[in-house]
Amino acid sequence: MRLYELITFTLRVRTPAAALARLESTLAEAMPGCTLVGCWSSEIGPLNQVAVLRGFTDETARQAERERYLLARDAFGIEAFMLDMKVENYSLFPFLEPLAPGAHGPFYELREYNLVPSGLTPTLEGWKKAVGPRTAASYSQVYAAFYATDGRTPRYLHIWPYATLEQRLDVRTRAVEDGVWPPENSGPQLREMHSTVYLPAKFSPLQ
């Protein structure tokens, strides 16, 4: 799969657990060409958020699923809990393959970087050079990285699993000190950065 969709639900206080219980049921319904990749609730960063990442076999399947839930009444079963819903389209970096489903966390950091208008190509070039050495040196594995293909500002998203928050801090510190990260040319392309640490729902394929 190369095409993905990230939905971020902002929920009312004290409702994420109930929302996840309903999402377990609605996301289990098989949609043609659509695969649930991960479902997480926010722990550090913006709170009371649930992120749902799904992959699609092709653009037709992604658009059909978008039409389905936009036209449905309470398609995800959590309308009563929702304050906002943000939908974003992403394509996988062409030189990456996502990690297989399973236990990679339980802490998942989703980082979104807004870019200058022509910043995507230099970013991809830098990542292609840097991500292999970082992984080979056992700093940490990236689950996957994606660039946005919707109408908002140019940006990209990457997802990092960690066993503990202490591991995250150690890896980030050592990778920078050793010059392994951030990727070459990435800094000049950036306008704004956001990071949220999530915990997987019990039914998430990524744990």
Side-chain angles (χ1 to χ4, degrees):
M1 289 185 298
R2 314 303 296 182
L3 304 180
Y4 292 79
E5 173 195 74
L6 179 68
I7 304 179
T8 305
F9 300 104
T10 301
L11 305 173
R12 300 181 188 279
V13 174
R14 300 183 68 178
T15 66
L20 286 172
R22 294 190 184 182
L23 283 170
E24 181 175 11
S25 175
T26 57
L27 292 174
E29 298 175 10
M31 303 298 170
C34 174
T35 300
L36 176 64
V37 174
C39 180
W40 304 274
S41 59
S42 61
E43 178 67 17
I44 300 175
L47 298 179
N48 298 303
Q49 289 192 341
V50 168
V52 175
L53 181 68
R54 298 189 293 177
F56 295 86
T57 54
D58 53 41
E59 187 57 46
T60 299
R62 184 162 66 177
Q63 184 61 29
E65 170 58 3
R66 180 77 51 84
E67 296 276 354
R68 181 195 71 81
Y69 67 71
L70 287 177
L71 294 172
R73 290 177 182 247
D74 199 8
F76 296 102
I78 61 172
E79 190 77 27
F81 308 136
M82 273 199 291
L83 295 173
D84 190 25
M85 183 177 94
K86 180 174 70 173
V87 181
E88 300 171 277
N89 284 348
Y90 286 100
S91 291
L92 187 68
F93 280 15
F95 48 84
L96 290 180
E97 290 295 335
L99 298 177
H104 302 290
F107 296 95
Y108 284 81
E109 184 179 14
L110 276 65
R111 300 186 215 160
E112 182 182 89
Y113 291 73
N114 293 341
L115 301 172
V116 299
S118 59
L120 182 58
T121 294
T123 296
L124 290 171
E125 291 170 351
W127 264 74
K128 189 173 184 179
K129 292 179 182 178
V131 71
R134 172 174 169 147
T135 302
S138 300
Y139 290 91
S140 63
Q141 283 189 297
V142 61
Y143 163 69
F146 315 88
Y147 61 90
T149 57
D150 56 25
R152 289 180 54 211
T153 185
R155 64 197 186 280
Y156 69 103
L157 170 76
H158 43 125
I159 302 176
W160 300 89
Y162 296 100
T164 66
L165 293 177
E166 289 78 10
Q167 182 203 18
R168 172 184 176 271
L169 177 61
D170 174 66
V171 164
R172 286 171 61 85
T173 301
R174 288 192 296 111
V176 172
E177 288 179 346
D178 296 346
V180 175
W181 209 257
E184 178 183 310
N185 289 330
S186 60
Q189 318 310 323
L190 300 178
R191 293 194 305 105
E192 192 177 11
M193 297 169 281
H194 303 276
S195 176
T196 305
V197 174
Y198 288 89
L199 300 175
K202 66 178 182 178
F203 60 88
S204 175
L206 290 172
Q207 290 292 320

